[in-house]
Amino acid sequence: MARIIDGKQLSAQVLKQVAADVEALKAELGTTPGLAVVLVGEDPASHVYVRNKVRQAGEAGIRSIEHRLSADISQTTLNELVESLNNDPDVHGILVQLPLPDHLDEAEIISAIDPAKDVDGFHPLNVGALAAAQPGLIPCTPLGCMIMLQQVHEDLSGKNAVVIGRSNIVGKPMAALLLQASCTVTIAHSRTKDIEAVCREADILVAAVGRPEMVKADWVKPGATVIDVGINAIERDGKRKLVGDVDFADVEPVAGAITPVPGGVGPMTIACLMKNTVTAARAQLSETHPAAAVGQS
Ligand code: NDP
């Protein structure tokens, strides 16, 4: 049976380190890292995500500032809010919860965030930095996946990695990180021919698709490490249930290691948001207090 990569346990370790880093920043500079969370509209899933993020921030000692806005807010008002957060020295991280209502331009809002405060890592400058292997803020979900992979593999160099999905928030940055770790990387997507055969070549298989239990045992090379990013709500036996993009019961006997859903990548994503907030705070503070850069991780 596969080794289960426990996202709950691992995220608790990451958050413990974040809390220690927050304490160190407070002691060195008297500053508490601040995370501004902007939530537009009434999307129930977004409300749950924001609630979890705010709770975790509090537990890590990060000051969070919530901005809840009505669904009909104008682009100009949202841009102005982001601008004011950019200029607020007590705010070190800005997160605009996606998706935004249809009348708002997500790309414009993401580009309006100060790249130094872009703790989601979605600003084009951070995207470019990742592609060019330069320092920058890395998207939380792929960052969490890499920490999970490091639990199983000391060195990823030379491994065949297949990422299913090519979104800007998961698939593409995940592939970039695996490439940086010297994997041979293939990105599969909805147009990929014979995707099962492509996946069977993978030593590392990352599924970020949004299709419940799509990946079956015969897609997986025996012993492969399987990271399941998908979060899909389904009904089974009359009950609502969360499942991943991987058919866990089918794949677990074949894989070498596997992440569960729930309790896998999800908690790691939130922990990495906190990690990015502290990284961003230290980088911003080191501009005015050069000594702060010493503790930068
Ligand atoms: P997107 O919808 O933006 O992207 C999905 C990708 O999957 C696309 O590239 C699409 O291909 C590809 N795809 C769709 N259908 C197929 C198919 N049948 N075969 C192969 N590829 C396919 O999703 P996200 O990247 O935003 O999210 C993916 C999943 O991860 C979702 O379930 C989401 O809820 C979850 N998620 C979980 C997070 C966490 O914290 N655990 C964080 C973020 C997302 P194409 O480009 O060709 O259309």
Side-chain angles (χ1 to χ4, degrees):
M1 293 302 248
R3 170 177 167 185
I4 309 296
I5 311 171
D6 183 341
K8 272 195 199 158
Q9 199 181 61
L10 194 52
S11 63
Q13 281 174 34
V14 173
L15 285 167
K16 198 170 159 197
Q17 183 58 51
V18 169
D21 293 345
V22 169
E23 282 308 311
L25 262 185
K26 280 195 213 165
E28 284 168 43
L29 305 170
T31 305
T32 302
L35 171 66
V37 183
V38 179
L39 175 59
V40 183
E42 298 304 327
D43 178 57
S46 292
H47 275 257
V48 173
Y49 291 140
V50 164
R51 201 163 52 235
N52 285 339
K53 288 169 184 175
V54 167
R55 183 172 49 79
Q56 295 279 3
E59 284 174 20
I62 292 171
R63 203 169 50 83
S64 66
I65 312 108
E66 249 187 285
H67 294 267
R68 289 179 181 238
L69 308 168
S70 72
D72 59 0
I73 189 172
S74 71
Q75 183 88 28
T76 308
T77 311
L78 188 53
N79 282 347
E80 282 168 3
L81 171 63
V82 168
E83 195 50 37
S84 75
L85 297 172
N86 285 343
N87 294 326
D88 185 341
D90 292 332
V91 170
H92 305 97
I94 302 170
L95 177 147
V96 178
Q97 184 66 43
L98 303 179
L100 291 171
D102 287 346
H103 70 283
L104 296 171
D105 183 340
E106 276 184 9
E108 187 180 323
I109 294 295
I110 290 168
S111 296
I113 297 172
D114 178 347
K117 298 188 177 186
D118 167 39
V119 283
D120 259 338
F122 296 161
H123 188 286
L125 235 143
N126 283 317
V127 174
L130 177 57
Q134 300 285 318
L137 289 163
I138 296 167
C140 307
T141 300
L143 182 58
C145 293
M146 290 305 286
I147 296 172
M148 295 182 111
L149 284 171
Q150 283 155 10
Q151 297 299 299
V152 183
H153 302 276
E154 230 168 81
D155 183 10
L156 290 168
S157 169
K159 305 247 181 255
N160 275 342
V162 174
V163 179
I164 321 176
R166 55 175 164 176
S167 70
N168 289 337
I169 64 169
V170 191
K172 283 184 203 155
M174 186 72 228
L177 286 170
L178 289 163
L179 191 59
Q180 257 182 41
S182 298
C183 291
T184 303
V185 184
T186 304
I187 306 180
H189 47 77
S190 67
R191 307 291 178 91
T192 300
K193 292 201 166 65
D194 199 359
I195 195 165
E196 294 89 332
V198 172
C199 292
R200 267 196 303 275
E201 294 296 313
D203 303 308
I204 311 288
L205 180 61
V206 181
V209 189
R211 307 238 166 219
E213 300 178 333
M214 182 178 86
V215 175
K216 304 290 180 192
D218 61 353
W219 295 40
V220 176
K221 180 180 181 175
T225 301
V226 179
I227 305 287
D228 189 355
V229 179
I231 301 177
N232 310 290
I234 61 160
E235 271 225 3
R236 184 167 290 157
D237 305 327
K239 284 190 192 136
R240 191 177 171 275
K241 198 175 178 251
L242 286 185
V243 298
D245 293 336
V246 175
D247 185 336
F248 186 89
D250 200 41
V251 169
E252 199 224 334
V254 180
I258 187 167
T259 63
V261 178
V265 175
M268 288 302 289
T269 296
I270 299 185
C272 287
L273 173 67
M274 304 312 147
K275 187 174 159 65
N276 276 352
T277 302
V278 179
T279 302
R282 191 171 276 284
Q284 286 158 54
L285 292 165
S286 66
E287 284 172 15
T288 39
H289 304 272
V294 174
Q296 193 145 5
S297 55

